[in-house]
Amino acid sequence: MKLLTPLLLLLLAFAPARDDSSYKDDLPVDRQATKETLNLYRNLKKLMKKGIMFGHQDDLAYGVGWKYEAGRSDVKDVTGDYPAVYGFELGHLEIDAQINLDSVPFNKMKEFIREVYERGGVVTLSWHLNNPLTGKSAWDAVPGTVASILPTGDKNDKYQVWLNNLAEFVSDLKGSKGELIPIIFRPYHELNGSWFWWGKNHCTPEQFTQLWKWTVLYLRDTKHVHNLLYAYNTDRFANKDEYLERYPGDEFVDILGLDIYQRGNGADANAQFVSDINRMLSDVESLSTEKNKIPALTEFGYNSIPDNSWWTNVLWKGIQSHKISYVLGWRNAGFKKNGQVDYYVPYKDAGSAADFVKFYSEPRTLFQKDVSKEKLYK
Ligand code: BMA
C-alpha cells in the first residue's frame, strides 16, 4: 500500500489528462481553473454538437404567482422538466445587502446554486452592480465611472472591496465533496448599449477593455478564484466590428454572447426577429470558431409572449440552425401593481405554454434531464 500510492501518483502525473488532443490549446481564461470548471468548459463545447441548452433567469426563486416554493419552477410546471441553465443575479452583493436587487436573498441563491449543481445543471451569474462613483444603481449611466475604478482612479479601492464580496460569494459555492461549483460569470453585459454605467457612451473602448482585464486578473490572480468561466456579452449589434469594438482579447474571454429582445408584434416583427437573431448568431458563431470560444444567446425575451406559437414559429426558427451552447430566457417577475404580468418563459396558464411544450420536445433543445445524463462536471 505504501509503495502503491507514490507509484499511482507518478502514473497519474504522466497520464494524459483526457483523450482529447486539443486539450493543450483548449484551456479557459483561468489556466488554474478547478477540475470541474475545466470539465464544464470542455463539455460545453462538446455538447453543442447535440443541441442547445435552455436556460431561465431566477427559475427556482419565483415565477408568475409564486415565490420560494421548494422544487418549483415555471419551466417545470409547463414541461415537467427543469431548464438546463439557471441564471441568477448578484446586484447589491457589492453593498453587503442580504437580498439582491430583485429581492432574492443571497443565502437562498446559494442553496439554489448548490441544488442545480447537484443535479448537473449549469449556473450563470449576472451582475447589475451599483454605480461605484455615484452610489446609485447600475442604470445611473454617467461618464467617468469606469475611469474612476481603474487602478489609476480614486474609486479603485472601493471597487476592490466590491470584487472581494464577489470572490467570497463564489468561493462559498461548494458541492458535496467540498469542490467549488463552476460558474459562468457574465459581468458588464450589453456593453455596446448605453443604459448601464459601463456602456458605450460612458467610457472609451480602451477603458472598457482595461476594466475587463483588470477585473479578471484581480479575481483570478489576486483573489485566487478558480471556478469562473468568463462571458463577454453585447446587446444587438450591426456587424462583427461593432461586436469586437470592446473585446478585451482571447485570453480574457471564454464565452461569446449577445442579448436580444423582440421588439413589436405581428408577422413583420416576428420575421425581423428571426432574421436579426440568425444574422447575429452567425457572427457570434463564426467568431467563436475562429477564437475557439463558446457561443451563446446569453439573454433573450419577448415580454409576456403575446404570440402563442412564438417558441416554435419564431425563436426556434431563429436559433435551430446554429451551433450555440445555450439560450437564457429572462426572469418571470410576475404580476406588477398595475395588473400587468411580466414574464419571458411561460407559466402553466400562459397562452404560449402548449407551444413551449413543443419547443421542449424538439430533439435539439436540451433541458435538465438531457444534461444530467451528460455529466458536465466530469
Ligand atoms: C432587468 C429587469 C429588472 C431587474 C434587472 C436585474 O432586465 O428585469 O427588473 O431588476 O434586470 O435582474
Side-chain angles (χ1 to χ4, degrees):
M1 206 40 199
K2 260 184 190 154
L3 240 178
L4 238 175
T5 314
L7 252 176
L8 210 68
L9 280 175
L10 199 75
L11 272 174
L12 279 176
F14 284 97
R18 283 269 182 151
D19 55 351
D20 186 343
S21 55
S22 64
Y23 176 77
K24 278 203 182 72
D25 307 312
D26 199 13
L27 291 167
V29 165
D30 188 351
R31 304 278 147 150
Q32 287 175 277
T34 63
K35 192 173 89 205
E36 290 74 18
T37 308
L38 183 58
N39 289 342
L40 176 66
Y41 174 79
R42 301 178 70 228
N43 286 326
L44 287 180
K45 289 187 170 181
K46 283 189 195 152
L47 192 59
M48 289 194 295
K49 292 182 192 118
K50 290 202 180 156
I52 303 174
M53 292 189 287
F54 186 82
H56 188 208
Q57 182 75 1
D58 279 346
D59 188 75
L60 302 175
Y62 54 82
V64 178
W66 63 273
K67 270 185 183 155
Y68 311 114
E69 290 180 28
R72 193 158 177 195
S73 139
D74 278 343
V75 169
K76 185 164 172 265
D77 280 354
V78 173
T79 65
D81 196 2
Y82 290 108
V85 177
Y86 305 70
F88 293 103
E89 162 61 35
L90 297 176
H92 288 183
L93 182 73
E94 67 282 2
I95 53 168
D96 297 316
Q98 300 299 304
I99 61 167
N100 83 352
L101 78 170
D102 300 321
S103 306
V104 180
F106 286 111
N107 58 3
K108 277 221 166 293
M109 197 184 295
K110 284 182 179 171
E111 285 170 26
F112 294 139
I113 293 173
R114 291 179 191 122
E115 182 184 326
V116 168
Y117 173 74
E118 290 306 330
R119 61 170 172 250
V122 177
V123 178
T124 175
L125 293 176
S126 53
W127 195 14
H128 291 73
L129 67 172
N130 276 359
N131 182 318
L133 184 62
T134 65
K136 294 181 186 163
S137 81
W139 292 266
D140 192 33
V142 297
T145 311
V146 170
S148 80
I149 57 172
L150 291 175
T152 46
D154 57 4
K155 296 290 177 199
N156 182 259
D157 286 352
K158 182 176 180 179
Y159 184 49
Q160 287 192 31
V161 173
W162 288 13
L163 289 178
N164 294 348
N165 285 5
L166 175 89
E168 201 184 305
F169 183 89
V170 297
S171 302
D172 191 36
L173 301 171
K174 289 182 183 160
S176 57
K177 296 188 189 79
E179 77 282 23
L180 287 159
I181 299 176
I183 299 293
I184 296 174
F185 181 43
R186 185 170 74 91
Y188 303 128
H189 65 304
E190 302 176 1
L191 57 106
N192 60 332
S194 292
W195 41 91
F196 298 124
W197 56 258
W198 55 86
K200 187 175 166 187
N201 292 344
H202 318 302
C203 58
T204 65
E206 291 69 32
Q207 288 169 335
F208 183 84
T209 53
Q210 252 186 298
L211 170 66
W212 187 284
K213 291 182 197 175
W214 191 85
T215 302
V216 170
L217 294 174
Y218 183 81
L219 291 171
R220 188 188 69 184
D221 302 343
T222 306
K223 299 305 292 180
H224 308 291
V225 170
H226 296 303
N227 53 330
L228 301 182
L229 297 177
Y230 293 89
Y232 170 86
N233 155 205
T234 67
D235 197 64
R236 286 168 176 265
F237 59 90
N239 49 44
K240 285 183 185 173
D241 284 346
E242 184 188 347
Y243 187 82
L244 292 176
E245 193 202 28
R246 285 152 194 259
Y247 182 65
D250 293 348
E251 61 277 47
F252 293 95
V253 172
D254 296 308
I255 288 159
L256 296 182
L258 86 126
D259 293 2
I260 183 170
Y261 286 82
Q262 175 157 338
R263 299 167 175 160
N265 308 324
D268 289 351
N270 286 349
Q272 188 64 49
F273 186 76
V274 173
S275 117
D276 288 349
I277 209 167
N278 261 315
R279 173 179 60 79
M280 289 181 245
L281 284 180
S282 296
D283 282 350
V284 168
E285 228 179 312
S286 81
L287 286 170
S288 298
T289 308
E290 199 178 289
K291 296 172 172 303
N292 204 4
K293 303 294 172 197
I294 301 166
L297 184 58
T298 36
E299 251 185 60
F300 75 88
Y302 185 25
N303 198 358
S304 76
I305 317 137
D307 176 336
N308 288 349
S309 59
W310 191 77
W311 297 96
T312 56
N313 198 34
V314 182
L315 182 72
W316 186 235
K317 282 191 181 150
I319 65 176
Q320 65 179 339
S321 67
H322 298 279
K323 233 175 95 188
I324 57 173
S325 177
Y326 67 89
V327 299
L328 182 90
W330 201 239
R331 65 197 196 99
N332 284 6
F335 293 99
K336 292 204 277 196
K337 286 200 182 94
N338 62 8
Q340 223 182 300
V341 202
D342 244 16
Y343 67 95
Y344 291 88
V345 170
Y347 59 102
K348 61 179 185 317
D349 298 326
S352 72
D355 191 54
F356 189 69
V357 175
K358 284 193 199 156
F359 173 84
Y360 172 79
S361 308
E362 283 289 344
R364 290 191 65 257
T365 57
L366 308 175
F367 285 69
Q368 182 68 70
K369 286 176 189 156
D370 302 303
V371 298
S372 293
K373 284 186 233 153
E374 299 291 330
K375 304 206 182 328
L376 297 175
Y377 301 101
K378 293 233 165 86

